[in-house]
Structure formats: C-alpha cells, structure tokens
Amino acid sequence: MSAPATSIKGRAFGDRVLLALVILLSIIMIAPVLWVIGLSLKENAELMANPNSVFHAPYTSKNYINTIGTSSVFRWVLNSIIVSGGLTLGTLILSSLAGYGFARLNFPGRNILFVIVLFGLAVPEQAVLVARHQIFSMLKFHNTYHGLILPGLSASFGVFLMTQYFRAIPKELDEAAMLDNASRFRIFWKVLLPLTVPAQATLGIFTFLSAWNDYFWPLISATKKDMFTLTVGMASTQTNFAQSEGIGFLMAQAVFAGAPILIIYLFFQKYIVTAVSGAAVR
Amino acid sequence: MADQLTIRETAAPAAGVRVPSANIYAPRWRNFVFVAPFLFFFTTLLIFPLLWGMWLSFHKADTFSTGRFVGLDNYVRLFHDKVFVQSVWNTFYFVLLTVPTLALIGLFLALCLNRRTRTAAVLRTLFFSSSVLSVTIVTLIWRIVYIPNVGLLSTIYGWFGATAPAFISDPNLAMIGIAIATIWWCIGLPMMLFLSALQQIPQDIYEAAALDNANRWQTLRSITLPSIKRTFILVIIIQIVLQFQLFGQAWLMTRGGPNNLTKPIVLYIYDTAFRRWDLGMGAAASEILFVLILIAAMAQYLVTRNKGDQA
C-alpha cells in the first residue's frame, strides 16, 4: 500500500518553515550573549542614559580593565582552580582504583557493595547538604579548601564509569601479565590504566566542569569573601545590579568568567558532550 | 573462566616460576585495598550524612548541636507552613513548564540537525554551548535581558512600539521568565540524547520506507518516533530529576519572589537551614524532596533496565 510522496513544492515549503524555525531558535540562543558582549564594551554612564547606545560607537575596554583591576576576581579564579583541580585529581585516583577493584578483583561483599555504590547515584545533593554542613561546622572544615573538595569525592559517578570501562577490557591482558608474575597492582598500573585514558579524559573534564560551576555547596560552605569560588563570587556582586557597579562592568565580569569555559568547551567538545550525556543516562 | 586459569597454571610450571596454588579469582580481603579509599569517602561523606540528615529531621537542631528530639514535629510544621506548600506547588509548576518544552524542542532540534553538513555541526555546537556555563553567568545574562526599559527584551519590544512583559516582577510571569532562561540553558542535553538515539536507527528502514513512497510526515510518525520512544521517556525523567532541584536561577533572578511565587523547594531548604538556621526543619524538607526525586530516579532506572534487556 503506497501513499503519494509529498510534492516537490510541498517539500520545499516544509523545508523553509523548518529552516525558519531553526534560525529563530538559533537567534534566541545567541542574541543574549551578543547583547551581553555589546554591553560590556560600553561606558556605564552612557548605558544608563540610553540603552540603545549599545548599537553604535564609541566602544570602550574600560570595563575589562576595571575587572582585571578588581583584586577579588583573581582570588576567586585561583580558588576555583584549586578546588576543581583538587577534586578532579582526587576523583580520577579514587575512581580508577575502585573501578579496577570492582571490575577485576574479588573480595568479600563485592557485589553488595557495588549495588550500594550505584544507589549513591540516585541520591541528590540536597538530601545530604544539611547534615554535611553541620558535620563540617563541628570539624571546622568551612572556609577551607578541603571543605570544598571533600564532598565531591563521595560521588559514585566516577566509580561507575571506570568500573564499566575496566570491565570492557579483555581479561586476556590481565592473564598474560599474570603469567609474567605481575602483582595485582602492577597489572593495574602498567597494563590496564594506560588503556583507560579516554575514560579518564571524559571523567576528568566532566568533574572539573561540574566543580567549576558548582554553586550551592560553595555558597553555604565558603562564606568568607576570600574563599569564594568564581561562581559564588560573581553571584555575590550581582545583587543590586541596576543601581550598583554599572551594567557595563557587570557584563564585562560575565564575559570574563564565561569566555574561558566556552573556549575550553570548543576545544574539548567531544569529551564534554560524551561526559554530560553519559552522566545523565548513568 | 576461573577453572581455565587454574588448569593453565598447573599444566605448565617452568623451572623457577612461582605457581599460584589457589584460584586467583577467589575473594581476598587483600583486594579490598583498591576500593577502600573511595569507600571511605563514600561512607563518611554520603551514607553517613544521608542517615544523619534523616536523624536530624526528627530534632530541633542548629549548627552546632542536634538539639532535642521532636519526633515528627518538623514534618507536621512543614505541611502547615504555607510557604513550604507553595514551594512544592512552585516546583511542580516549574517542572511542568520546562520538562515538556525541553523534550519537544530538543527532539525538534535533533531531527533538524541530524545531518553531516558543516552548518548542522556549527548549530549543534551552538545549542549545546549554553550548557557549560554556570548558573551565575546564565542568570546574569537573563536578568539583563529582562530588565525593564533597558534590557534586550524591552529594546526589541520597543522597536515595535510595545512594552515587554515584566518577566521578573509580575507574579504571574516570574516563573515563566525563570523557565525560559532555564530552557535556554539546558536545551543541549536533550538535543544530544535524541541525536544519539536517532543515529542508532538503521538506515535500511528508511530506505524501505522511501521505496514504499512514504512521505516525510509518515516516516516520522511510523518509523522515527516509535524508535526513540524509550529515549523520550528517559529524557523526560532525567529532566524531571534535574529541574526538581531548581535553586540558582530562582535565588539569583527573583529571590523566590514576588510573594514566594517562584520559591522552589530547594530555596525553601536554603532559607530554613542556612538563613534561619533551623536545621531540623531544613533536613525534613530535604527528606521530602529526596523522596520525590527518588521516585523519578527509580522510574529512570527501570526504564533504562528495560531498554538494556530489549537491546
């Protein structure tokens, strides 16, 4: 039973409608960003007087100079780098070791423990926040780097990812090494770990990005201005914005914070997309 | 597997080679050392706080002490608190606004951009790029778009001689304003998930359909959509879990106002536990949120499990 194909004209029209819709959505995606960049290049006073002035010269780089001149911003960037970097390194180490353990080794309670670890994937941050905050208050871990890094190390995602990855490596490689008298650790270190580099890259980039953009925990744990991460710090300057610093200046801060991330995204796109999709699907 | 290894070892003992006498795959406490570091952090920083939080929710607690046991009092107070009940409604409303929209637009984009052209690749990059920004930057951008008189939205409406809707200050529109910003932010993931699902549909089916003279709409309805049904459900559930946790956008764009109409549950938790320092009540609210999210996460687990069985 065949149906008549759409006429050529019909197809062309349909195509144009779809194209128009996609273009419309693309404009909605990019217009706000262009607007922000435009605003960041204008003098604050001029913007307050006439918002439409963003569309014509003169443009100025004064806002960016002021941003770089504000000392807090660099401190925040440093904090973000330390926290995100520390968490990424810790996660890679812990997850690789545990992934190898769950995938290749046998020990009492292994299967039950793995199920419990998987359960950890279903626990949202909010369910443990209040308790963690109280515990860290008692331990005086707030406003410290370890206070910001430690919670992230309990995340199951990395272990889940690495376990799957190790499981996929053929066991023959282990056995060949075993015939050469290699210890379990040696097999891990010399044979299997080098093969997991793609998974490490994916996990590493994902962890770094999540830690960099994290807002809630740093908000409640790092309450002193010099311990803010970039995300929290920038949010703190946002408060009364129309009245305070000036829109141009705030936009310059936004561009300053967002541009590096976007550049990293453009370079590591493949890994980031894989990681984020994988994390969501688990 | 285990047997093979044992046989191999006993069959070829060369001089000087240590022959393991036991089965290498037997459980050994020694092997525990690999998973121990992770399990240490997992137990102390996830399992323990999870249980401790439940314990706290039955007490009148503050930052430094657990306080006295009050049983279900916190929960009772929560259900009588108009602000909390409002926050639950707000959260559901927000999820209703964002999730179907994200799924449908994501699917639309995936269908349109599932081709090997340069333009499609550039556009895919564009639509995913917003997802790597932090909530701070996204809210900064959208607040400036929504600002009355000066913002992008007002400027565009101004070209047509109209006034822009007040997406932040109007009680009826505030949540919608946050939803629009959120959709702009999160559209990348659904699009990517649908793209990978579409790419797994074998080409032969499409060729057969073309031979049968099926038009595009029929192909879409009878072949494409049924094939990605599971992914569609998955995207919906993932987004429900994600959007239920709304916090940053509401806190930074509207502070939960006007009149607590944009206050989601997580903002209520933040207010109660970290501004009013009523940790017990905050813990109770987070337990309720946890249960709601758990239901959605369980559903996701079941759907993906079935998917694995069928594949």
Side-chain angles (χ1 to χ4, degrees):
Chain A
M1 145 90 203
S2 55
T6 322
S7 69
I8 306 265
K9 274 204 193 139
R11 272 189 96 97
F13 178 70
D15 269 344
R16 288 216 190 89
V17 171
L18 290 178
L19 185 66
L21 278 172
V22 173
I23 291 181
L24 180 64
L25 287 173
S26 307
I27 292 178
I28 297 178
M29 277 312 280
I30 204 166
V33 177
L34 293 176
W35 179 255
V36 166
I37 295 177
L39 287 176
S40 71
L41 292 169
K42 301 267 346 165
E43 182 84 47
N44 283 322
E46 206 183 328
L47 283 175
M48 293 306 317
N50 173 22
N52 272 313
S53 65
V54 84
F55 294 112
H56 32 263
Y59 292 109
T60 169
S61 60
K62 196 166 123 185
N63 292 317
Y64 286 99
I65 297 176
N66 287 340
T67 303
I68 298 179
T70 314
S71 51
S72 322
V73 177
F74 281 104
R75 177 75 209 210
W76 296 338
V77 170
L78 183 68
N79 290 337
S80 282
I81 293 178
I82 293 177
V83 172
S84 304
L87 181 59
T88 304
L89 193 64
T91 302
L92 286 177
I93 295 174
L94 291 177
S95 302
S96 301
L97 286 170
Y100 176 66
F102 280 120
R104 283 294 203 256
L105 305 177
N106 206 347
F107 46 86
R110 181 187 69 168
N111 294 331
I112 302 176
L113 279 173
F114 192 63
V115 170
I116 296 178
V117 169
L118 281 189
F119 169 71
L121 289 171
V123 177
E125 192 188 15
Q126 296 82 13
V128 290
L129 272 174
V130 178
R132 269 184 195 161
H133 189 267
Q134 200 196 47
I135 295 169
F136 276 35
S137 297
M138 294 184 194
L139 294 172
K140 300 218 194 322
F141 274 2
H142 288 307
N143 284 311
T144 64
Y145 286 123
H146 41 277
L148 293 174
I149 296 179
L150 288 176
L153 293 175
S154 64
S156 307
F157 175 63
V159 175
F160 175 66
L161 191 75
M162 295 309 293
T163 307
Q164 301 286 76
Y165 209 79
F166 276 114
R167 275 189 183 152
I169 300 177
K171 284 208 166 113
E172 285 75 43
L173 288 160
D174 293 51
E175 287 158 15
M178 271 190 251
L179 289 176
D180 283 339
N181 263 334
S183 73
R184 285 307 200 169
F185 187 76
R186 225 184 150 72
I187 298 177
F188 168 71
W189 188 250
K190 291 267 170 185
V191 180
L192 298 186
L193 199 56
L195 293 172
T196 60
V197 167
Q200 305 269 357
T202 305
L203 180 59
I205 291 173
F206 178 74
T207 309
F208 192 87
L209 201 60
S210 313
W212 189 273
N213 288 342
D214 194 16
Y215 184 56
F216 205 122
W217 179 255
L219 179 69
I220 59 180
S221 182
T223 49
K224 298 209 183 105
K225 196 167 169 194
D226 60 348
M227 275 310 290
F228 282 168
T229 57
L230 184 62
T231 305
V232 174
M234 276 192 49
S236 72
T237 61
Q238 257 197 57
T239 33
N240 289 317
F241 75 39
Q243 293 81 36
S244 71
E245 320 265 336
I247 296 181
F249 178 66
L250 275 167
M251 295 303 110
Q253 274 195 328
V255 175
F256 186 74
I261 297 280
L262 283 174
I263 292 175
I264 292 179
Y265 163 64
L266 288 174
F267 276 111
F268 292 108
Q269 206 184 91
K270 198 175 66 146
Y271 291 108
I272 294 178
V273 174
T274 314
V276 173
S277 317
V281 178
R282 290 167 197 170
Chain B
M1 250 333 257
D3 300 298
Q4 282 177 325
L5 192 57
T6 331
I7 292 172
R8 227 183 274 165
E9 286 163 356
T10 52
V17 172
R18 168 165 51 105
V19 176
S21 50
N23 181 352
I24 283 223
Y25 292 102
R28 287 224 182 301
W29 279 107
R30 189 175 8 119
N31 291 332
F32 202 72
V33 86
F34 282 91
V35 299
F38 170 72
L39 283 179
F40 170 71
F41 289 107
F42 181 74
T43 321
T44 54
L45 290 168
L46 200 132
I47 300 292
F48 178 61
L50 186 62
L51 299 170
W52 184 248
M54 292 179 196
W55 179 243
L56 271 182
S57 69
F58 297 125
H59 291 73
K60 189 149 181 64
D62 60 41
T63 321
F64 289 103
S65 72
T66 313
R68 59 188 171 84
F69 184 77
V70 290
L72 290 173
D73 196 46
N74 284 327
Y75 289 94
V76 171
R77 278 200 298 153
L78 272 179
F79 285 112
H80 283 117
D81 184 354
K82 283 201 204 105
V83 179
F84 179 70
V85 176
Q86 180 68 49
S87 74
V88 176
W89 280 123
N90 294 339
T91 312
F92 273 95
Y93 179 47
F94 178 72
V95 168
L96 208 66
L97 283 175
T98 49
V99 176
T101 319
L102 280 168
L104 290 172
I105 297 185
L107 179 58
F108 173 72
L109 287 174
L111 287 169
C112 291
L113 298 179
N114 186 23
R115 40 199 85 187
R116 293 220 184 95
T117 65
R118 192 69 194 268
T119 325
V122 168
L123 286 178
R124 288 194 302 260
T125 305
L126 173 69
F127 283 106
F128 196 85
S129 59
S130 58
S131 306
V132 302
L133 296 171
S134 71
V135 70
T136 312
I137 298 179
V138 173
T139 51
L140 197 49
I141 293 176
W142 279 89
R143 283 180 78 191
I144 209 70
V145 168
Y146 285 144
I147 268 192
N149 305 320
V150 187
L152 178 61
L153 200 64
S154 297
T155 310
I156 293 179
Y157 269 76
W159 295 340
F160 299 102
T163 350
F167 275 119
I168 299 291
S169 46
D170 185 335
N172 294 321
L173 296 178
M175 202 49 131
I176 298 179
I178 296 180
I180 295 176
T182 306
I183 293 169
W184 180 90
W185 186 26
C186 297
I187 192 65
L189 180 64
M191 180 185 73
M192 281 302 167
L193 290 174
F194 281 127
L195 272 169
S196 45
L198 286 175
Q199 280 156 12
Q200 283 176 6
I201 304 178
Q203 279 300 106
D204 340 21
I205 303 187
Y206 285 118
E207 283 162 24
L211 286 176
D212 266 349
N213 265 333
N215 68 25
R216 269 198 311 203
W217 183 243
Q218 287 170 325
T219 318
L220 183 72
R221 249 185 0 158
S222 323
I223 299 178
T224 318
L225 290 182
S227 310
I228 56 169
K229 194 175 75 161
R230 279 225 169 70
T231 308
F232 194 83
I233 298 176
L234 195 74
V235 167
I236 296 272
I237 295 177
I238 289 173
Q239 287 303 321
I240 290 178
V241 171
L242 220 58
Q243 304 307 342
F244 243 99
Q245 299 175 44
L246 171 68
F247 171 69
Q249 304 93 292
W251 174 242
L252 292 169
M253 289 177 88
T254 59
R255 286 281 193 272
N259 303 331
N260 292 321
L261 282 173
T262 56
K263 192 179 226 171
I265 301 178
V266 182
L267 183 48
Y268 181 86
I269 295 173
Y270 175 68
D271 244 355
T272 313
F274 302 110
R275 303 201 121 215
R276 290 191 280 148
W277 299 110
D278 190 347
L279 259 62
M281 188 115 133
S286 59
E287 295 310 322
I288 295 181
L289 178 68
F290 179 36
V291 167
L292 290 172
I293 291 183
L294 203 61
I295 296 174
M298 282 296 119
Q300 180 189 358
Y301 178 65
L302 290 172
V303 169
T304 48
R305 241 172 127 223
N306 282 337
K307 190 178 181 181
D309 288 346
Q310 289 253 346

